[in-house]
Amino acid sequence: MEFLKSAADLEALRGRLRVEREKGKALTVCCGTGCLSNHSQKTANALAEALERAGMRDRVGIKTTGCHGFCERGPIVVVEPDGILYQGVGRKQPEKDAEEIVAALAEGKEPVKRLLFKSLESKATVEHYRDIPFYAKQKRVALRNNGIIDPKSIEDFIARGGYSSFVKALGMKPEEIIGVMKDSTLRGRGGAGFSTGMKWELCRRSAGSPKYIICNGDEGDPGAFMDRSIMEGDPHSVIEGMLIGALAIGGREVPIEGYVYVRAEYPLAVENLTLAIRQAKACGLLGQDILGSGFGFSLRISKGAGAFVCGEETALIASIEGKPGVPRTRPPFPAESGLFGKPTNINNVETWVNVPAIIEHGAEWFKSIGAPGNGGTKVFSLVGKVNYTGLVEVPMGTSMREVVFGIGGGIQKNKKFKAVQTGGPSGGCIPESLIDLPLTYEGLAQAGSIMGSGGMIVMDEETCMVDVARYFLGFVREESCGKCIPCREGTKQMSDILERICAGEGKEGDIETLERMGKAILAASLCGLGQTAPNPTLSTIRYFRDEYEAHIRDHKCPAGVCKALIKYSISKENCAGCGVCLRNCPVGAITGEKKQTHVIDREKCVKCGACREGCKFDAVIVE
Ligand SMILES: Cc1cc2nc3c(=O)[nH]c(=O)nc-3n(C[C@H](O)[C@H](O)[C@H](O)COP(=O)(O)O)c2cc1C
Ligand code: FES
């Protein structure tokens, strides 16, 4: 790694690296957390050995990358530059899979069919990842390098154009950079959607020295993993975004330092960011007098212990200062008095990685991608009852229908779509009647939800909306720091009522009490946790009131989820006597001879649903 004394040194290095890398084919093996959990490192090793045996190591490169977004299909291997995507490589037989992939490459044969993606509808195999619907309809800006570069190699990042936006920003005045950010209409991707340019301007104008900038990588929403994937897969873009932010906010006049706050449960993100910071320092891209420009910036990592509330900016600041991670009232806002009482700017991981792209291509380009006032793209973690789950990046303003059906491939097992929960525990549930809603900050707010950091949980007809509200309120009740009474006591009271309703002990008036309390907690809580905690309950009451009423008045759970309100039986008409339910039942509550109708003993039945899940004939009925 060489020390770069000027922008010209960086360009010269980039030129050399590009020549070196124009070698021909490469196998990129996903080593993001999802694929690693499916032993993708073994897959990478097996591919390297197979290339060695075939004498192809000098002709075909092998590269480990961050997350490609299609984690449920991992380990993912892509043959570049052809773009052939193999899925599930090495899940069961790494050596065999590797041998066949390499043989196909060596002999210029057809790709290995059994490892290709298969269309759900036509069952045809799809070779190129750009033709797979999950990828075809995405637009990758924040995820532009994920799955392409080796996150452990600064050289790979530089060869792909890395740090050139920072060099461009070095030639701009701070006000000019802020102007571009404002014009781009980039809004904070961490939840509130505040204009990034305006936030930078406030911090720039605040008196105080030194100044701080922070990257919020706390990502506490259950099911969300977009920030983790970016930190793991493209850590240098986070650094580059922060360098540009530091230049705009502190300039060369005021000393400025940075922190990346990452939850400790993200060990690979911590590892890759630590390495990236070390590499950037060694190359002279962090530290004093960067590239001989007179501008200096240092960056360090602060590990969070995993409390959801520590993602809230004032709690996060307290946590970095070594104090208990609890929020405080604002004002003063961090821009005036933040970390160690100094002007501080906090942005989310995804916000920071958009910055170099905006500086490179310009504000107009970014604006043209999204919707009015909502420039650019948004990454969602699409999970739940949808056919294809994973990380999905789409232009702002894309409809929910496009995400769920166009990219996600619709609902599993052809069940009926019911709702999408967006924004995690602070968000709400959007019903089918609003599925054509454009995904913008305003669109989601109108529907009673929020963009949040981009969690998107798809629900089908077998999801109980009261149970969903119960789950999220239970989560925020546990995560409330307890500092303010409306949140501490209010979430407990609401959660107790929801627990009671799901246990079949709901009372007339419960719905109205939930609505009244929810509105009071929203209005009176100290921080964003309490101010949004009732959202899932209020939105499910707004759109699915009949389900609450069925639980309370009829003692029924229409979706067949709340155990206290349901009974299982087996339909004589549908049962084929295959015995799957009998084998699946963990408590031996099912009896029946082969090819005869089976029977459930309700005394023994624990209502776990294993029989229903396994039945191919829809013979298990929930009453
Ligand atoms: C309870 C709570 C948790 C939050 N968690 C996160 C988080 O994990 N990541 C994040 O970027 N912002 C989180 N936020 C929002 C931050 O307070 C802050 O608005 C954000 O980091 C600002 O960055 P942005 O302008 O780029 O969105 C949370 C807010 C609240 C109230
Ligand atoms: S970790 Fe490999 S696709 Fe996400």
Side-chain angles (χ1 to χ4, degrees), residues 8 17 58 113 122 141 157 175-176 180-181 250 265 268 276 400 450 469 534 564 577 582:
L17 291 169
D58 54 334
K113 221 169 173 181
S122 65
V141 176
F157 181 71
E175 289 72 18
E176 225 183 306
V180 172
M181 298 314 293
E265 294 104 318
L268 187 59
M400 188 97 83
I450 59 165
L582 186 149

Side-chain angles (χ1 to χ4, degrees), residues 49 501 578:
E49 284 160 21
I501 297 175
C578 68

Side-chain angles (χ1 to χ4, degrees), residues 65-89:
T65 69
C67 175
H68 289 243
F70 214 6
C71 319
E72 57 145 311
R73 301 295 171 115
I76 300 285
V77 173
V78 179
V79 184
E80 296 289 12
D82 315 353
I84 294 166
L85 184 140
Y86 289 118
Q87 57 176 23
V89 185

Side-chain angles (χ1 to χ4, degrees), residues 37-369:
S37 67
N38 274 312
H39 312 292
S40 61
Q41 192 56 57
K42 265 193 192 162
T43 305
N45 296 345
L47 282 165
E49 284 160 21
L51 285 174
E52 196 76 59
R53 278 195 298 277
M56 293 167 67
R57 276 298 270 176
D58 54 334
R59 276 184 292 138
V60 181
I62 190 151
K63 188 187 323 188
T64 52
T65 69
C67 175
H68 289 243
F70 214 6
C71 319
E72 57 145 311
R73 301 295 171 115
I76 300 285
V77 173
V78 179
V79 184
E80 296 289 12
D82 315 353
I84 294 166
L85 184 140
Y86 289 118
Q87 57 176 23
V89 185
R91 263 201 194 188
K92 294 188 186 135
Q93 38 192 7
E95 284 77 21
K96 182 169 187 283
D97 291 355
E99 206 63 53
E100 287 185 32
I101 289 174
V102 170
L105 265 178
E107 294 155 29
K109 285 196 308 204
E110 294 282 293
V112 186
K113 221 169 173 181
R114 65 180 179 86
L115 295 171
L116 294 173
F117 174 86
K118 278 179 201 66
S119 157
L120 262 181
E121 300 81 37
S122 65
K123 309 284 175 229
T125 51
V126 183
E127 284 182 14
H128 293 272
Y129 77 90
R130 60 174 176 271
D131 297 327
I132 298 172
F134 179 80
Y135 288 110
K137 296 182 176 165
Q138 294 195 43
K139 167 94 188 152
R140 296 203 155 196
V141 176
L143 296 175
R144 60 193 176 277
N145 292 325
N146 261 64
I148 294 174
I149 60 161
D150 174 356
K152 295 192 194 299
S153 161
I154 191 170
E155 288 87 355
D156 214 25
F157 181 71
I158 290 174
R160 206 172 139 74
Y163 291 110
S164 58
S165 298
F166 167 60
V167 169
K168 188 171 174 189
L170 278 173
M172 295 163 77
K173 292 202 176 78
E175 289 72 18
E176 225 183 306
I177 303 174
I178 289 173
V180 172
M181 298 314 293
K182 278 164 72 176
D183 289 348
S184 74
T185 69
L186 171 66
R187 294 165 69 172
R189 302 301 195 230
F194 194 78
S195 155
T196 303
M198 274 169 64
K199 203 146 101 173
W200 289 14
E201 190 168 53
L202 289 172
C203 195
R204 172 156 183 84
R205 286 190 181 157
S206 284
S209 173
K211 291 186 179 178
Y212 293 101
I213 60 171
I214 299 174
C215 172
N216 188 343
D218 193 54
E219 196 167 54
D221 291 8
F225 61 108
M226 44 265 154
D227 293 348
R228 188 197 73 205
S229 295
I230 294 172
M231 290 185 288
E232 286 176 5
D234 192 13
H236 283 286
S237 283
V238 178
I239 300 176
E240 188 175 7
M242 292 186 80
L243 273 164
I244 296 168
L247 198 53
I249 292 165
R252 291 170 175 87
E253 316 92 67
V254 184
I256 184 155
E257 290 170 30
Y259 283 85
V260 186
Y261 187 83
V262 197
R263 54 177 45 230
E265 294 104 318
Y266 283 180
L268 187 59
V270 172
E271 183 185 321
N272 287 359
L273 274 165
T274 307
L275 180 66
I277 291 174
R278 205 178 304 140
Q279 291 173 340
K281 265 191 205 160
C283 287
L285 287 158
L286 283 174
Q288 303 289 319
D289 192 21
I290 299 170
L291 301 179
S293 66
F295 166 72
F297 178 60
S298 62
L299 187 58
R300 67 190 77 173
I301 290 176
S302 178
K303 283 193 261 178
F308 176 61
V309 77
C310 280
E312 194 281 336
E313 55 188 24
T314 60
L316 184 152
I317 287 172
S319 172
I320 296 181
E321 288 172 344
K323 298 175 189 153
V326 288
R328 63 159 173 80
T329 43
R330 297 174 305 173
F333 287 93
E336 305 161 77
S337 175
L339 189 60
F340 307 118
K342 303 292 178 190
T344 302
N345 178 82
I346 302 186
N347 279 124
N348 166 262
V349 173
E350 193 183 328
T351 313
W352 283 120
V353 296
N354 271 302
V355 171
I358 295 171
I359 295 296
E360 182 185 355
H361 301 288
E364 284 307 313
W365 164 82
F366 193 73
K367 249 184 358 191
S368 73
I369 293 173

